[in-house]
Amino acid sequence: MDLLEYQVKEWFGKIGIPVLPSQRIDHPTDLKRLKIRFPIVLKSQVHGAERAKAGGVRFAQTTIDAIAAAQNIFSLPIWGELPEVVLAESKYDANQEFYLAVVLDTAVCRPVLLGCKEADIDWESAGERMHHVVVEQEFSPFYARRLALKMGLQGTLMQSVSSVVEKMYQLFIQKDLDLVEINPLAVSATSQVMALNGKVRVNERAIKRHPDLAEMAAKIISRHSSTEINSILGNWNGVKMHGKIGILGNGTGSVMATLDLVANAGGNPGVCLNLRHAFLTDTRPTTFRDRLETSLKILEADKSIQVILINFLGSIPQIEEVTEVIARFVQQENSELQSQVVHSNGSKNSRERNFTPLLVRLAGSEFKAARKYLATLKTHTDALLVVENLDEAVAAAVLLAKPTVNKK
Amino acid sequence: MNLTPESKVLIQGFCEFISSTHVAQMKAYGTNLVAGVNPGCGGQELHGLPVFDLVEEVIEQFGAIDTTIICVDPYDVLDAALEAIASNIRQIIIITAGVPPLDMVQLLRKAEACETLVIGPNSPGIIVPGKILLGTQPSEFYTPGSVGIVSRSSTLTYEIAYELTKAGLGQSISVSIGSDAIVGSSFLQWLQILDEDETTQAIVLVGQPGGGSEEAAARYITEAIDKPVIAYIAGRQAPPGKTWRQTGTLATVIGRDPNFGTAQSKLAAFKEAEVPVAERPSQIPELLRKEIN
């Protein structure tokens, strides 16, 4: 989950990273009660990048200027997102600008400190100018000094920069971050440092153990549509593609292998979900059964999905209840189908009736009872197919998703 | 790695990832499960195991424990593992999925200092078909034989075992090292274990996008492994994940390829190492046969 700049700066201020006096503006008229001095900068609080280029950052000398600029910003969507908040901040005269970051490097399994004496980094060729220090053991401020010295800083500037890095690291650990970035860190003529902009990415798996973050996530979920949630909260343990075959599985690797098989067999994979983890959108603890129920609803509501392919093998938690969920889904589809058949005299093809056939691949002795039970369900011919072999399941799903088969 | 039926095994925590079926299966397989630890449940019996509040109480009663299987909630994994290390347990298998990565960083620092082998998180553990089961791998997909499996994905590990068993190819050891972003033991460690294992004649390595462990494994195979290896990479058709700018920024910073972490980079590494790569799980037996004969 990415925080907005004003949220980042609240955190920075609390932990002692220098930030400019600023004020949160929820409505242009708030500018009449401005507590900070002009000239100010007004910044759109959106998640998308390049907001300055898009016109989301404006300078103002007077209240009238500021209100006009704020009205402008509030009505300017950036990458499809309208700001709910605008940040008003004092202007700062920078002599020099640096880049600083703390990031978790999953390849070395350690946090890494990054620093560069330029703020506008061209990532393609940052190699020589970007310095890094791997935090091998427990953090101690010397790691931060090591970075500052590698950046070529000296004296008080070396100390003030390393002190900022140290605080960034504290925040990183305290809040379970994947990334904390200051870009730029401005240096004034008198060598004072100031974080002009910051970015914080919270680890998705840790959100629920921080009540303040869980609350932020819940707000995002209540305000935005599911695709936006995805881009703000991060990857929700699934892959979103736009094909016709929705895939559900009980492990990442298995879901990905199924996706590959579907694509190689000429099918188009749609939303693919891994039910092994709780979803990020779940604010309360969930069970496997809950996740299956939610996923079936998501896939059913997705207009592009024509077939749902479930791939479970080995063992899953709460197997009896999970079988019930599948049975209920199929029966409900079936009854809807029948009522629609009566009303439309069977003249339309099944796709237009929002009917999503289910293909269930179950392998393993734990599923014996489930397979038997599902086989007893009386369904429309296409509604449910239970298969044991993965390649067969995939071939059947691809065949079912072909429009020619459905127009019978 | 102590994988004998005599080694004493503990289970810490009972969450949704472990059930009576798993415990019964381990016992039936001859695994020497001595007890469970579930704080607040000391004195009770759960899934047919005596339960204690602390790991040290188990050790007082049963003596040194060789392996612990951790199934507590994700946010309690670090604490459970540190408790195990403090009680001198040197093999830890973490079944729980979704452990916050910074907890893993802390655990790995401690484990490295205490020479403790950590498998997982998000791992179904290890099975030596016909001998011992440490974890939740479904044993029915396995038959004793000579193919070693090392994987980063739980379900795919059994998928492949199932294909091998159907094709009449038994397995020697199968381990899933876990599919979370940060896991304890590496492909390299397991390739080495499988290379030294006398029963193992060929190895199947199963990877997925993310990180650089498949690439490191491919280089290691060229340098140090004499047994035939077949690879399979899931997620080739999946859109590239967004793992910060780990594929871009950090890559250039620390001198990594911009392709870092992608399925393509892994496939290229195996090609360079001349390791045959299967297109799909069901193709693995046929590739193995070519290598073994």
Side-chain angles (χ1 to χ4, degrees), chain A residues 99 103-112 114 123-124 127 130 132 135-138 169 172-173 176-179 181 199 201 203-209 234-235 239-241 250-254 256-257 259-261 263-264 276-277 286-288 291 311 313-315 317 361 363-366 388-391, chain B residues 16-17 19 21-22 74-75 95-106 108-109 112-113 122-124 136 138 140-141 153-156 158-159 162-163 166 179-183 208-209 211-212 232-239 241-246 248-250 252-254 256 258 260 279-282:
Chain A
Y99 172 92
V103 60
L104 179 63
D105 183 358
T106 52
V108 296
C109 300
R110 292 291 190 270
V112 177
L114 297 175
W123 288 105
E124 293 298 308
M130 182 65 73
H132 76 275
V135 183
E136 289 287 350
Q137 297 304 319
E138 279 300 309
Y169 192 86
F172 182 77
I173 296 296
D176 275 301
L177 308 183
D178 281 343
L179 163 75
E181 186 180 77
K199 184 171 181 176
R201 178 159 295 166
N203 187 269
E204 296 148 16
R205 296 271 153 244
I207 290 176
K208 279 172 225 159
R209 71 171 162 190
N235 163 348
V239 176
K240 194 167 164 84
M241 295 170 84
N250 57 333
T252 322
S254 183
M256 282 197 281
L259 186 162
D260 288 350
L261 286 169
N264 290 340
R276 192 166 155 84
H277 297 278
T286 60
T287 61
F288 193 85
R291 301 197 284 272
N311 179 14
L313 95 161
S315 68
R361 188 271 176 138
S365 58
E366 256 201 61
E388 194 172 351
N389 181 297
L390 178 58
D391 291 347
Chain B
E16 70 160 305
F17 295 113
S19 64
T21 321
H22 295 127
Y75 296 168
I95 307 288
T96 308
V99 180
L102 288 179
D103 285 9
M104 282 310 295
V105 170
Q106 211 180 320
L108 292 185
R109 282 188 189 133
E112 282 166 17
N122 202 354
S123 159
T136 59
E140 70 211 77
F141 295 133
S153 149
S154 309
T155 31
L156 264 186
Y158 343 133
E159 186 78 60
Y162 184 39
E163 291 294 347
K166 279 195 289 185
S179 50
D180 275 2
I182 293 189
V183 294
Q208 60 184 42
Y232 171 69
I233 303 293
R236 293 194 215 186
Q237 306 284 348
K242 49 115 254 171
T243 39
W244 184 46
R245 301 143 170 173
Q246 254 152 2
T249 315
L250 213 52
T252 38
V253 170
I254 315 193
R256 287 186 198 134
F260 183 81
E279 288 287 324
R280 53 183 189 280
S282 56

Side-chain angles (χ1 to χ4, degrees), chain A residues 350-371:
Chain A
S350 57
R351 276 302 72 68
E352 288 163 73
R353 288 181 213 120
N354 262 339
F355 155 78
T356 324
L358 208 59
L359 231 150
V360 189
R361 188 271 176 138
L362 300 174
S365 58
E366 256 201 61
F367 291 113
K368 254 182 208 151
R371 264 201 300 268

Side-chain angles (χ1 to χ4, degrees), chain A residues 257-274:
Chain A
T258 314
L259 186 162
D260 288 350
L261 286 169
V262 166
N264 290 340
N268 293 315
V271 176
C272 303
L273 295 170
N274 172 16

Side-chain angles (χ1 to χ4, degrees), chain A residues 142-166:
Chain A
F142 76 82
Y143 282 110
R145 290 199 295 276
R146 197 183 273 172
L147 178 75
L149 284 171
K150 272 192 169 179
M151 288 167 70
L153 306 178
Q154 293 175 321
T156 46
L157 190 56
M158 185 277 283
Q159 283 189 300
S160 52
V161 167
S162 64
S163 147
V164 169
V165 173
E166 190 187 330

